[in-house]
Amino acid sequence: MREISAQQITEAVKRLCIHTNCHLSGDIKSRIAQCREQETWPQAKEILERIIENYQIADEQDQPVCQDTGAACVFLKIGQEVHVTGDITDAVNEGVRQGYSEGYLRKSVVRDPLRRVNTGDNTPAFIYYDLVPGDQIEITLAPKGFGSENMSQIKMLRPSDGLQGVKDFVLQAVEDAGPNPCPPIVVGVGIGGTFDKAAYLSKRALLRSVEERNADPFYAELEEELLSAINALGIGPQGFGGRTTALAVNIETLPTHIAGLPVAVNINCHVTRHKTEVL
Amino acid sequence: MPNIQIQTPFTPEDARRLRSGDSCLISGVIYTARDAAHKRLCELLEKGEPLPIDLKDSIIYFVGPTPAKPGQAIGSAGPTTSYRMDAYSPLLIAQGLTGMIGKGKRNEEVVSAMREHGAVYFGAIGGCGALLSKCIKKAEVVAYEDLGAEAIRRLEVEDFPAIVVIDSAGGNLYQTGRAAYLAETRESGMNAI
């Protein structure tokens, strides 16, 4: 057994909180720059220029790209041959606490959904635990803003709704969201599994680079087709009209029940943040 | 597009002169408030008690900033989604609020109050909190400090960029901007995907 201390996990989570919130990943930046080149509508182009200027300031000044520094969503892949000395959940939460405090990040979590008192340190994190072979721990942090989270949808389609039903639902979700989630957006789609797994898949889809298509050519083609259809809606950056409504559509799938076709759409804004560290 | 300079206080007459699609630069004093602060303000109004800020001819910015680092006036400070304030905005507009800065759709009740009293809904670019923070020269908490990021702050702004999304006559850039783009692309055949 390889030992990894709770302290190492805390340190990694803290680093990830500060870094992801201040520095967008290269794939998002190059896609936004590419969209600016392709955009034909003057106001849309100008907004994309401001968006680029914003992430450049954030990079240079180590400042949060967006004031909604999100709910801390943490995806752990824990090797079966790792022994963690200490409580792994506490270690992650401590990393969030330290990262959000020392990084001057916004504390955006309330303790109870109805009584709504801020926890003051952005904990608890929303953690997914996966057991995998090996002796390492992979930690992915994805701070998730709620302007876009609130525009996400899930539906239990009938198998007879088929491919067309999935396309219609994804397009309708983007149409319903309109200007609210800060377009240009990244669209995470989860198809299959159970009610909860479809939602999980749609969130996990947002962790994939916007430049990487689904490994299955059938779904890779569907991603491209949906992206074209979304960018023909005309919503545009910030909803003021234009071509650039979405930067990418990422689809993840799972086997499902003979009676079901669950589909979830998790929408993210142009400030799509995620980073991985391996211990 | 030329920018229209706006200096607070922002009167209903000022508001009625603006049209959706106008690009503006706002200077002067504006207040921050989002969900929790709006709820408290409206509870005070329902009880007939005085508000901690004077809403007459004022502009509210829907924002919850990140904490300021040493030497900064404010942390990142871009707009939050406005529809969550729809339940409260008509009451505040009736109290003299003339401008709101946010992003995203508003409902009919808000637009109707804007028409009746003379108010404007501005959009700032969502997700540009680092950039927009540079136009905020001073920030101080004036109410509800216990709410943290959601406290009401008095901001001094200079040339804060905002686009009129919905004007006091009900003109709506989300509808007209998109329609104009689609009409243009259809004409030039660029929409054939």
Side-chain angles (χ1 to χ4, degrees):
Chain A
M1 288 295 248
R2 179 171 166 243
E3 286 209 341
I4 294 178
S5 70
Q7 182 64 26
Q8 284 172 276
I9 293 168
T10 294
E11 290 294 329
V13 170
K14 174 180 152 183
R15 278 193 298 274
L16 290 170
C17 287
I18 297 171
H19 192 277
T20 52
N21 274 300
C22 299
H23 307 282
L24 287 185
S25 53
D27 61 312
I28 293 283
K29 289 182 196 171
S30 57
R31 180 57 62 95
I32 293 172
Q34 189 189 340
C35 288
R36 177 191 54 178
E37 293 311 309
Q38 291 167 351
E39 182 59 69
T40 52
W41 197 237
Q43 186 163 37
K45 208 175 179 71
E46 193 178 315
I47 288 168
L48 292 172
E49 275 162 19
R50 294 288 87 72
I51 286 172
I52 291 169
E53 197 182 336
N54 180 68
Y55 70 62
Q56 287 171 343
I57 289 173
D59 266 341
E60 286 159 16
Q61 303 183 10
D62 288 322
Q63 191 175 341
V65 181
C66 177
Q67 76 291 334
D68 187 352
T69 50
C73 298
V74 181
F75 298 77
L76 298 175
K77 286 185 183 167
I78 305 161
Q80 289 169 350
E81 289 151 52
V82 174
H83 173 236
V84 176
T85 57
D87 185 312
I88 191 165
T89 303
D90 287 350
V92 169
N93 280 320
E94 185 56 29
V96 169
R97 190 173 290 122
Q98 291 179 14
Y100 275 72
S101 166
E102 292 174 31
Y104 294 88
L105 307 177
R106 198 179 78 183
K107 289 76 180 173
S108 311
V109 175
V110 290
R111 173 72 59 203
D112 179 275
L114 288 176
R115 288 167 288 189
R116 307 197 76 81
V117 176
N118 198 302
T119 60
D121 58 11
N122 219 52
T123 68
F126 301 94
I127 310 173
Y128 295 92
Y129 305 86
D130 264 331
L131 281 176
V132 298
D135 64 354
Q136 294 178 321
I137 296 182
E138 183 190 289
I139 306 172
T140 300
L141 182 99
K144 185 66 171 72
F146 257 57
S148 55
E149 191 77 353
N150 281 335
M151 294 297 110
S152 302
Q153 296 192 26
I154 187 162
K155 194 168 184 186
M156 305 303 282
L157 297 180
R158 296 168 299 184
S160 64
D161 293 325
L163 179 60
Q164 192 58 46
V166 170
K167 289 181 191 172
D168 292 344
F169 178 63
V170 173
L171 278 180
Q172 191 60 49
V174 173
E175 175 66 43
D176 291 348
N180 291 0
C182 290
I185 56 177
V186 178
V187 184
V189 182
I191 310 173
T194 52
F195 181 76
D196 52 312
K197 282 283 185 183
Y200 163 73
L201 285 175
S202 69
K203 179 152 264 88
R204 209 184 63 187
L206 296 172
L207 304 180
R208 200 203 312 150
S209 161
V210 294
E211 289 173 335
E212 186 187 330
R213 300 276 52 84
N214 192 298
D216 179 337
F218 174 79
Y219 287 106
E221 197 180 311
L222 182 57
E223 289 174 342
E224 295 290 3
E225 188 188 340
L226 280 170
L227 180 63
S228 293
I230 288 168
N231 284 336
L233 290 173
I235 296 169
Q238 298 296 309
F240 298 144
R243 181 185 184 276
T244 314
T245 300
L247 301 172
V249 177
N250 287 358
I251 299 173
E252 294 291 329
T253 64
L254 271 180
T256 192
H257 189 277
I258 49 172
L261 178 51
V263 187
V265 178
N266 196 191
I267 294 180
N268 213 347
C269 55
H270 58 88
V271 188
T272 288
R273 297 156 286 193
H274 52 83
K275 190 169 194 272
T276 301
E277 268 200 37
V278 179
L279 297 177
Chain B
M1 208 178 300
N3 286 308
I4 297 170
Q5 296 282 343
I6 290 176
Q7 179 71 44
T8 65
F10 183 59
T11 66
E13 293 68 40
D14 295 332
R16 289 195 194 277
R17 273 194 286 271
L18 295 174
R19 285 291 164 262
S20 71
D22 286 348
S23 284
C24 302
L25 294 172
I26 301 171
S27 298
V29 171
I30 63 176
Y31 292 97
T32 74
R34 37 174 295 152
D35 311 55
H38 272 79
K39 185 164 186 276
R40 288 192 188 180
L41 291 175
C42 288
E43 282 167 358
L44 287 176
L45 286 175
E46 277 160 22
K47 285 189 266 180
E49 291 176 16
L51 300 181
I53 53 171
D54 183 6
L55 290 176
K56 187 174 155 44
D57 300 341
S58 70
I59 297 175
I60 287 183
Y61 183 17
F62 304 145
V63 58
T66 58
K69 287 182 185 175
Q72 284 184 325
I74 198 166
S76 293
T80 194
T81 323
S82 308
Y83 74 91
R84 299 195 316 273
M85 270 53 78
D86 283 357
Y88 310 114
S89 292
L91 269 174
L92 304 187
I93 292 168
Q95 292 295 312
L97 177 74
T98 45
M100 296 162 284
I101 308 171
K103 52 127 177 155
K105 296 178 244 188
R106 308 306 308 268
N107 70 11
E108 268 313 307
E109 285 73 24
V110 176
V111 178
S112 155
M114 287 166 55
R115 278 183 212 261
E116 187 183 344
H117 299 279
V120 162
Y121 171 52
F122 296 98
I125 302 181
C128 286
L131 177 68
L132 290 168
S133 72
K134 306 304 170 199
C135 305
I136 301 170
K137 303 302 172 188
K138 200 174 161 194
E140 59 172 326
V141 173
V142 291
Y144 311 144
E145 190 154 21
D146 62 294
L147 293 178
E150 293 203 72
I152 296 183
R153 289 171 170 79
R154 178 186 185 276
L155 305 182
E156 289 179 21
V157 296
E158 265 176 40
D159 293 337
F160 184 97
I163 297 169
V164 177
V165 179
I166 305 177
D167 62 35
S168 60
N172 187 329
L173 181 62
Y174 290 139
Q175 290 157 10
T176 55
R178 184 177 174 185
Y181 166 76
L182 288 174
E184 173 86 10
T185 50
R186 268 189 211 109
E187 272 168 31
S188 61
M190 284 190 304
N191 207 21
I193 294 172

